[in-house]
Amino acid sequence: MVSEPGRQSPVVPMRLPSVARIVSLVGIGAVLAAAPSGRSFVGQESGARYLDAARRAATWIRSTAVATAQGRDWPPDPLKPATLNPSLYAGTPGVVIFFIELARATGDRSYLDDAARGALTMMPAATSALPYPTAAPARGVGLWEGLAGSAFVLQETGKATGDRRFTDAAMRMTDTIVRQAKTAGAGVEWGDTTDIISGSAGTGLYLLYAAREFNQPALTQLAGRAGLRLIELARKEGTGLKWAMDPKFPRLMPNFSHGTAGIAYFLAALYEETRDRRFLDAAVAGARYLQSVAKTEGDVCLVFHDEPDGKDLYYLGWCHGPVGTARLFFQLYQVTKDREWLTWVQKSAQALRASGIPETRTPGFWNNVGQCCGSAGVADFFLALWGETGDRRDLEFARRVVDDMLARATPSAGGLKWIQAEHRSQPNLLIAQTGYMQGASGIGSALVHFATALDQRPVGIRFPDSPY
């Protein structure tokens, strides 16, 4: 998912009751799909068949591996093996996370070996003298498209393997991020981009994670300075606040990946760490703006894709829809204990239930199974919501979505892959990818989350931008 026109989730209009047109696909960054202790299941269904499907996803991903001087890499599109990618969004870091989760779920050490070999390929980026072994352009410091995402994955690999080399590399990357912060206005920034994907909000969330992991309060302070700069960049809208992804970008996208919901989420997370009321006030103002523009007929919450051209266009996913935007509402519920915000999470869930997914399909609509823009993200969202509320309807909707994911799989190389569309303007461009947000790694992780929740032994890794 990127911001350029025509590179959004593939979708076509669809009607919800009393709601304008929907363009959809769904996604979410990885969530910790944790079943509350003592949660019981009617029939006590085992998660075995879902875990087996996750293993088969890993089998296909393994078949696409490319050897490197350092370890192992996985091209996002195996039909283009020379096109490697260092990002958490599409490349090897996301594959590493999936293998770590699968190793935890199965006890199979070979998956952890795969993760370690992928992490070894990532490690040279921790030093400026050794670039990532691809022809990729210079990298930024962002969470999903930069060094912050790689540092997060290296730290998780270090914890999983006990190999200090990975933790040391994560710390070096973190030092690079700190050095690249530039004083701007009331705080700091790493460039003009503000968002979760590659901007200050995502980088700030990584710094909060790193502050806890490395016991470095100074990283929380730096994240706070990034928050102050973002507050300064806010635009007033009625009684609320909104943010642009970039002052030069012609569209303003209000949802999680590139706009207000994601930035306000970061500010709410800052408040949780610092108790600085400025961050909470700005986060609430962002949420109030989103409420003021949301479609709510039918007790749903849907926020348009963009202004000025996409105010009658609605997505359903992590990037531009209720799966992602609900993260802000849930975070506000966590830090304020005000159940109003949980109600808005439930309105977001109702928008998905009312949409007709996952069964409704037309050319370009709901032909994505990934985390960012497809069914894996929806399943993880409902599993996390069930973990909070205990409402079995949430678990059953997650099951519907996961079962549909399995029905869409294609056998390949002794395993499973998912051939899907990523781009709204190119619904016939169908690719089976390996990565996290648009490929088999993120889908496999959703299967692991569901299987281990059914077995009441969740193993999901919490990403820096997840409240669950």
Side-chain angles (χ1 to χ4, degrees):
M1 200 292 311
V2 295
S3 58
E4 288 83 357
R7 286 294 317 274
Q8 313 301 330
S9 307
V11 288
V12 294
M14 172 183 175
R15 288 285 176 183
L16 283 183
S18 304
V19 177
R21 67 188 179 107
I22 282 197
V23 201
S24 162
L25 279 166
V26 244
I28 199 172
V31 299
L32 175 58
S37 59
R39 181 75 70 229
S40 61
F41 297 89
V42 176
Q44 294 295 313
E45 179 186 353
S46 166
R49 74 184 182 100
Y50 301 106
L51 194 56
D52 179 65
R55 285 180 177 271
R56 295 181 68 193
T59 297
W60 178 72
I61 293 169
R62 280 173 160 172
S63 77
T64 72
V66 173
T68 70
Q70 295 80 20
R72 189 169 295 168
D73 218 332
W74 291 271
D77 180 357
L79 299 180
K80 300 177 181 179
T83 308
L84 302 176
N85 188 305
S87 74
L88 177 57
Y89 188 93
T92 289
V95 179
V96 170
I97 286 289
F98 168 50
F99 279 133
I100 292 172
E101 290 191 334
L102 191 56
R104 290 179 179 176
T106 63
D108 186 337
R109 176 81 190 189
S110 69
Y111 295 125
L112 202 55
D113 292 340
D114 284 311
R117 288 173 180 170
L120 285 169
T121 291
M122 295 166 53
M123 282 179 60
T127 63
S128 57
L130 295 170
Y132 191 83
T134 74
R139 303 179 66 196
V141 301
L143 178 59
W144 287 100
E145 294 285 354
L147 286 182
S150 294
F152 159 67
V153 173
L154 286 169
Q155 171 62 3
E156 292 298 321
T157 307
K159 290 192 296 184
T161 63
D163 190 330
R164 181 72 193 185
R165 292 177 299 168
F166 299 123
T167 296
D168 290 344
M171 294 178 72
R172 290 196 299 273
M173 283 187 174
T174 304
D175 288 343
T176 298
I177 293 168
V178 171
R179 290 196 305 271
Q180 291 190 18
K182 305 298 182 185
T183 299
V188 299
E189 63 187 16
W190 290 266
D192 290 337
T193 307
T194 61
D195 66 11
I196 289 286
I197 291 284
S198 59
S200 291
T203 304
L205 286 168
Y206 169 73
L207 291 173
L208 294 179
Y209 162 89
R212 297 187 296 267
E213 291 290 312
F214 304 137
N215 191 27
Q216 292 190 11
L219 297 177
T220 300
Q221 296 170 10
L222 183 61
R225 294 181 66 197
L228 292 175
R229 175 58 174 164
L230 287 169
I231 292 173
E232 190 174 57
L233 292 172
R235 304 178 184 182
K236 291 185 178 181
E237 178 81 8
T239 60
L241 294 175
K242 64 182 182 181
W243 283 265
M245 177 189 76
D246 182 311
K248 300 181 294 295
F249 194 71
R251 290 180 290 146
L252 189 149
M253 296 168 284
N255 288 287
F256 193 75
S257 64
H258 289 307
T260 297
I263 292 166
Y265 173 84
F266 166 52
L267 296 173
L270 267 175
Y271 172 73
E272 185 175 27
E273 294 293 333
T274 67
R275 293 296 155 176
D276 186 328
R277 184 76 193 194
R278 292 175 293 180
F279 299 133
L280 179 60
D281 289 346
V284 169
R288 295 301 184 204
Y289 160 71
L290 294 167
Q291 289 174 319
S292 74
V293 299
K295 291 287 185 181
T296 57
E297 298 93 334
D299 205 27
V300 306
C301 174
L302 284 166
V303 177
F304 59 77
H305 178 270
D306 73 272
E307 57 175 310
D309 301 323
K311 286 191 171 183
D312 63 344
L313 185 64
Y314 295 87
Y315 278 42
L316 299 182
W318 175 90
C319 50
H320 299 289
V323 170
T325 297
R327 290 185 169 201
L328 168 60
F329 299 137
F330 189 83
Q331 178 67 10
L332 287 172
Y333 165 65
Q334 286 188 309
V335 299
T336 67
K337 308 306 178 188
D338 185 341
R339 292 189 67 84
E340 174 201 358
W341 300 117
L342 186 58
T343 297
W344 281 86
V345 176
Q346 292 166 331
K347 287 176 181 287
S348 301
Q350 179 58 23
L352 294 164
R353 291 192 189 95
S355 68
I357 67 166
E359 295 84 6
T360 299
R361 305 178 197 178
T362 59
F365 176 75
W366 214 250
N367 189 21
N368 187 293
V369 194
Q371 284 282 349
C372 177
C373 313
S375 296
V378 173
D380 272 347
F381 171 59
F382 276 92
L383 202 55
L385 187 56
W386 170 77
E388 174 63 27
T389 67
D391 188 334
R392 190 169 178 84
R393 293 179 304 164
D394 296 326
L395 180 65
E396 291 307 322
F397 194 80
R399 186 195 310 275
R400 269 176 59 192
V401 174
V402 170
D403 286 345
D404 184 75
M405 285 163 49
L406 294 184
R408 296 187 188 209
T410 299
S412 180
L416 293 176
K417 66 182 181 181
W418 283 263
I419 303 169
Q420 60 184 10
E422 179 180 353
H423 309 287
R424 182 184 73 210
S425 62
Q426 298 173 283
N428 295 320
L429 179 59
L430 304 175
I431 301 171
Q433 296 188 47
T434 61
Y436 200 89
M437 287 301 242
Q438 296 286 358
S441 293
I443 296 164
S445 279
L447 292 167
V448 169
H449 300 159
F450 192 74
T452 56
L454 286 179
D455 293 340
Q456 301 187 59
R457 52 182 191 89
V459 301
I461 293 172
R462 182 181 178 183
F463 279 48
D465 65 346
S466 174
Y468 304 118

